[in-house]
Amino acid sequence: MGYPSLRMRRWRRTQHLRDLVSEVRLELSNLVYPIFVDEGADSVTPIASMPGISRFPISRVAEEARDAVEKGVRAVLLFGVPYLKDEVGSGAFLTDGVIQKAIRKLKREFGDEVVVMADVCLCEYTSHGHCGVIKGSEVVNDLTLSVLQKVAVSQAEAGVDVVAPSAMMDGQVKAIREALDDSGHDQTAILSYSAKYASGFYSCFREAARCAPKQGDRRGYQMDYRNAREALREMELDLEEGADAIMVKPALAYLDIIRLARDRLNAPIAAYNVSGEYAMVKAAAQNGWVDEKAAALEILTGIKRAGADIIITYFAKDVKRWMETE
Ligand code: PBG
């Protein structure tokens, strides 16, 4: 049986008919809101390339998280911008480092009402801006692992719910899992940035977190965007090493990778709708070239349809309002 008795448009006729057959729906409970915590700042500083996003002093972080909660978002991902940087990124694992203080504050204020995640990486804390310890021009994998272990344990001690290693060092998940277990933090989850590509879409983040590499780029450790099978292997390895969830990053040019993960792996999958992807929509919207709400909801729903469970997005605080007025 085909046309004219078969008509695909029957289910599209009204909003409620469409809702009945919708295959995916974006939920606020899927979203994670990234927050930049700036140790050196004494006021909230907007990030020029990311309209609506700011760096927050430690004293204002709880207020920002409260705003996210009021807008229906229950998970935040913290990035620290330290006052001082050094060669090995030691600011990343201080007991009273910027991120540890922020984690303590949020946990004291919100308890289990907010899921607190933190990035485990060195690039925001190193003077050279690379994600690991360097020797000459090399980012040395195995030396970096012990530093990442300290970072994760210090965050767990501060009470973080989920650590998110993003340095793309081989063996980092195994090293972090071991260090967490050995220090009595067997309930701290690991969301691994498993398939993290060397991307042109991180530039605004690097402005926000002041973490652009001074020399060279990250292609020696982040993935080559020509590869999909390699991403699957990275994700499988991270699961074997003990990751509780895996991440694909960026999201938009990598929807096929999200789908591949969904079809082949049974762990929760996160996708990071990164800074450059956010900035593109904002810039076009500010010029009146796209409608921000329509474009953003379409993108976020597309990421979910591709197979992501968790979506990390700078739009997180806007979604509730947009969904209510859809
Ligand atoms: C840290 C890190 C980066 C991002 C998240 N964690 C930057 C990078 O790898 O250069 C980018 C996130 C974004 O662009 O929104 N390594």
Side-chain angles (χ1 to χ4, degrees):
M1 185 181 65
Y3 173 84
S5 41
L6 184 81
R7 289 178 184 269
M8 295 300 283
R9 287 180 51 183
R10 286 181 197 123
W11 281 117
R12 297 179 197 149
R13 200 167 49 79
T14 71
Q15 185 65 46
H16 295 307
L17 282 166
R18 291 190 290 273
D19 285 346
L20 274 176
V21 297
S22 69
E23 297 176 30
V24 285
R25 198 163 292 189
L26 194 61
E27 306 273 358
L28 291 167
S29 56
N30 296 129
L31 304 180
V32 179
Y33 176 57
I35 300 180
F36 297 99
V37 192
D38 188 346
E39 188 171 31
D42 39 34
S43 59
V44 178
T45 323
I47 298 155
S49 60
M50 301 174 73
I53 303 295
S54 300
R55 276 192 297 266
F56 294 89
I58 299 169
S59 60
R60 305 287 294 275
V61 170
E63 202 181 310
E64 183 60 9
R66 169 81 54 210
D67 190 40
V69 168
E70 273 159 18
K71 290 167 179 162
V73 179
R74 291 304 191 146
V76 296
L77 173 59
L78 302 178
F79 293 97
V81 187
Y83 187 57
L84 287 174
K85 303 185 186 230
D86 65 19
E87 275 285 300
V88 293
S90 41
F93 55 80
L94 298 174
T95 309
D96 59 352
V98 53
I99 207 76
Q100 291 76 7
K101 278 190 186 155
I103 293 166
R104 277 202 189 86
K105 236 189 182 139
L106 291 185
K107 278 291 135 185
R108 210 176 302 133
E109 176 103 7
F110 297 99
D112 288 338
E113 294 306 304
V114 173
V115 175
V116 178
M117 306 184 175
D119 197 60
V120 176
C121 194
L122 303 184
C123 64
E124 298 101 311
Y125 302 88
T126 51
S127 42
H128 45 77
H130 277 290
C131 302
V133 179
I134 57 169
K135 271 205 172 141
S137 60
E138 195 200 340
V139 179
V140 188
N141 195 88
D142 298 7
L143 286 179
T144 304
L145 295 184
S146 54
V147 186
L148 296 176
Q149 287 178 314
K150 287 194 226 169
V151 178
V153 170
S154 70
Q155 294 179 351
E157 261 153 24
V160 83
D161 296 295
V162 181
V163 292
S166 75
M168 285 301 277
M169 297 298 129
D170 288 326
Q172 63 181 12
V173 171
K174 180 166 187 265
I176 288 171
R177 184 72 271 158
E178 279 171 9
L180 288 173
D181 289 352
D182 288 350
S183 57
H185 298 105
D186 60 2
Q187 294 301 307
T188 309
I190 301 177
L191 165 57
S192 179
Y193 288 68
S194 309
K196 178 175 179 183
Y197 286 86
S199 169
F201 290 104
Y202 303 150
S203 47
C204 311
F205 175 94
R206 290 177 189 169
E207 181 205 332
R210 296 196 207 98
C211 71
K214 295 258 155 57
Q215 240 147 40
D217 54 43
R218 303 208 204 285
R219 286 183 295 179
Y221 42 103
Q222 297 181 348
M223 278 192 56
D224 185 326
Y225 59 68
R226 292 172 294 190
N227 297 349
R229 291 192 298 267
E230 186 190 344
L232 186 58
R233 193 132 182 254
E234 282 279 10
M235 294 187 280
E236 284 168 348
L237 285 172
D238 279 359
L239 291 173
E240 279 166 28
E241 287 183 23
D244 300 285
I246 49 188
M247 192 196 300
V248 176
K249 175 183 169 193
L252 266 193
Y254 303 89
L255 294 174
D256 59 326
I257 310 299
I258 299 171
R259 169 50 52 188
L260 187 65
R262 175 78 299 149
D263 288 344
R264 303 280 284 274
L265 306 169
N266 286 321
I269 298 164
Y272 199 142
N273 180 217
V274 300
S275 58
E277 299 175 327
Y278 174 80
M280 287 195 298
V281 174
K282 282 284 180 183
Q286 284 183 348
N287 278 290
W289 297 337
V290 298
D291 178 72
E292 180 182 352
K293 169 184 154 185
L297 284 180
E298 185 175 336
I299 286 170
L300 296 175
T301 308
I303 293 169
K304 175 126 187 210
R305 191 193 61 240
D309 304 297
I310 300 167
I311 303 173
I312 303 165
T313 177
Y314 302 97
F315 289 115
K317 289 199 305 176
D318 301 310
V319 171
K320 180 168 183 254
R321 169 172 49 91
W322 287 337
M323 291 198 312
E324 280 165 0
T325 58
E326 216 179 350

